[in-house]
């Protein structure tokens, strides 16, 4: 997670309502309209089904209670407002309680195409549609439980599991490549890049490989891991925590794969 942010999250009032400015609603509208067109034939079927269930407003930032109402009915999840950045411990705890952390700020116009921090557009548009899907929702809950009692070092390895599934996961389907990772689904540049760039390495999902693969948050991804369908996440979820930690230990013993990106210069 980033060490600092220039954004300040909005605090909901006593009724859970967040007041968004006209400019913030306009930014949501522009992001939503652009990305809906971008993912039309690129997002997985499960995502489109969830998006239809949520029926998100195209012209204003949704209220978290509106989204939570649908999630609770579908899978028992809810949106939980958080500051722009939270610690790993709080992150894992919320997921284990079926509370999806949503930073209650929206990006500035200067960062429409990319920002490192997850804003409300990324969280709601990128992730919440799939939280209506039981396989995705149950996997996300199980992931939270995996990290609850993990050590700091183990959590570094577990972060790769989240990154290459929930954030940047792809599907290799009979219809062709499709996206289910929210980090791709909420970014027009990454959507095109992940599916069409010829230099990208797209590999079948292997959990040990994933745990050994380094990544950077500030570049287009040089490697993506592919499942065949969202319900494949059920097979990962069935691992006992002890089994996952044994794989983490094996990944540590074997060492990381060589990075497919330049090492970031120290600031």
């Amino acid at each position: 997670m980033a060490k600092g942010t220039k954004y300040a999250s909005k605090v909901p009032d006593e009724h859970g309502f967040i007041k968004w400015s006209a400019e913030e609603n306009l930014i949501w509208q522009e992001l939503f309209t652009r990305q809906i067109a971008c993912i039309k034939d690129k997002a997985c079927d499960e995502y489109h089904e969830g998006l239809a269930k949520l029926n998100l407003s195209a012209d204003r930032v949704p209220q978290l209670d509106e989204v939570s109402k649908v999630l609770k009915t579908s899978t028992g999840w809810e949106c939980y407002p958080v500051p722009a950045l939270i610690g790993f411990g709080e992150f894992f705890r919320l997921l284990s309680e079926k509370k999806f952390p949503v930073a209650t700020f929206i990006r500035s116009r200067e960062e429409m195409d990319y920002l490192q921090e997850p804003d409300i557009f990324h969280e709601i548009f990128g992730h919440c549609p799939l939280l209506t899907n039981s396989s995705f929702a149950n996997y996300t809950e199980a992931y939270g439980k995996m990290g609850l009692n993990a050590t700091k070092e183990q959590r570094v390895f577990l972060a790769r599991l989240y990154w290459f599934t929930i954030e940047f996961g792809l599907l290799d389907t009979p219809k062709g490549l499709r996206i289910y990772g929210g980090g791709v689904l909420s970014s027009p540049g990454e959507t095109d890049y992940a599916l069409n760039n010829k230099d990208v390495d797209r590999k079948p999902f292997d959990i040990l490989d994933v745990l050994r693969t380094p990544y950077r948050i500030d570049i287009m991804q040089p490697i993506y891991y592919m499942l065949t369908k969202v319900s494949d996440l059920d097979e990962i979820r069935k691992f006992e925590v002890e089994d996952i930690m044994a794989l983490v230990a094996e990944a540590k013993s074997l060492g990381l794969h060589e990075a497919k990106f330049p090492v970031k210069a120290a600031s």
Side-chain angles (χ1 to χ4, degrees):
M1 294 185 178
K3 293 182 179 179
T5 177
K6 68 178 184 180
Y7 293 99
S9 293
K10 293 175 176 286
V11 179
D13 67 16
E14 64 272 20
H15 304 294
F17 184 85
I18 297 174
K19 186 175 181 180
W20 299 95
S21 70
E23 171 66 6
E24 288 167 329
N25 283 323
L26 185 59
I27 287 173
W28 172 275
Q29 180 183 24
E30 292 177 15
L31 289 168
F32 185 93
T33 302
R34 179 177 69 173
Q35 198 60 10
I36 280 288
C38 184
I39 65 170
K40 182 179 179 182
D41 299 314
K42 301 178 180 73
C44 64
D45 291 343
E46 296 91 338
Y47 175 86
H48 284 299
E49 291 164 7
L51 192 62
K53 288 180 182 178
L54 291 182
N55 193 27
L56 298 174
S57 172
D59 58 6
R60 63 171 176 84
V61 183
Q63 294 296 323
L64 298 190
D65 284 351
E66 298 170 337
V67 180
S68 291
K69 184 177 181 180
V70 179
L71 295 183
K72 286 178 181 177
T73 300
S74 300
T75 57
W77 276 74
E78 63 182 292
C79 295
Y80 190 86
V82 297
L85 297 168
I86 61 173
F88 276 122
E90 177 73 352
F91 178 71
F92 285 118
R93 182 186 69 78
L94 289 172
L95 294 186
S96 74
E97 296 174 357
K98 301 173 79 167
K99 297 174 181 177
F100 195 72
V102 177
T104 50
F105 73 93
I106 195 162
R107 67 195 69 181
S108 68
R109 193 164 292 282
E110 292 72 33
E111 293 188 299
M112 289 285 278
D113 292 334
Y114 175 79
L115 76 164
Q116 289 187 27
E117 304 98 318
D119 71 342
I120 195 166
F121 180 77
H122 168 85
E123 304 289 27
I124 298 294
F125 186 93
H127 290 303
C128 286
L130 274 166
L131 280 171
T132 67
N133 176 277
S134 59
S135 294
F136 186 89
N138 292 338
Y139 170 76
T140 307
E141 178 188 5
Y143 178 82
K145 291 178 178 177
M146 285 179 208
L148 269 183
N149 297 311
T151 66
K152 184 177 180 180
E153 185 178 34
Q154 288 170 330
R155 286 174 175 178
V156 172
F157 283 89
L158 289 178
R160 299 185 184 108
L161 185 57
Y162 190 91
W163 187 261
F164 289 110
T165 55
I166 292 172
E167 288 293 353
F168 288 91
L170 299 182
L171 302 180
D172 187 10
T173 80
K175 298 178 182 179
L177 283 174
R178 294 292 185 268
I179 306 162
Y180 76 94
V184 187
L185 288 166
S186 59
S187 166
E190 193 100 28
T191 294
D192 179 67
Y193 181 88
L195 299 186
N196 299 320
N197 190 287
K198 294 180 180 179
D199 295 326
V200 165
D201 190 4
R202 303 174 188 89
K203 301 178 65 174
F205 187 91
D206 177 273
I207 190 168
L208 186 57
D209 264 350
V210 166
L211 293 172
R212 298 178 63 200
T213 301
Y215 66 87
R216 272 176 55 178
I217 68 172
D218 60 341
I219 59 173
M220 294 288 190
Q221 301 305 303
I223 183 169
Y224 299 87
Y225 284 94
M226 304 179 298
L227 301 174
T228 59
K229 54 189 181 300
V230 172
S231 59
D232 289 348
L233 292 169
D234 292 333
E235 297 306 311
I236 308 172
R237 178 176 56 84
K238 289 176 183 176
F239 277 93
E240 297 290 339
V241 172
E242 293 80 6
D243 296 330
I244 291 289
M245 293 311 172
L247 286 168
V248 166
E250 185 177 357
K252 179 185 175 184
S253 175
L254 291 170
L256 297 184
H257 293 307
E258 184 178 355
K260 293 180 176 291
F261 50 79
V263 176
K264 188 175 182 181
S267 57

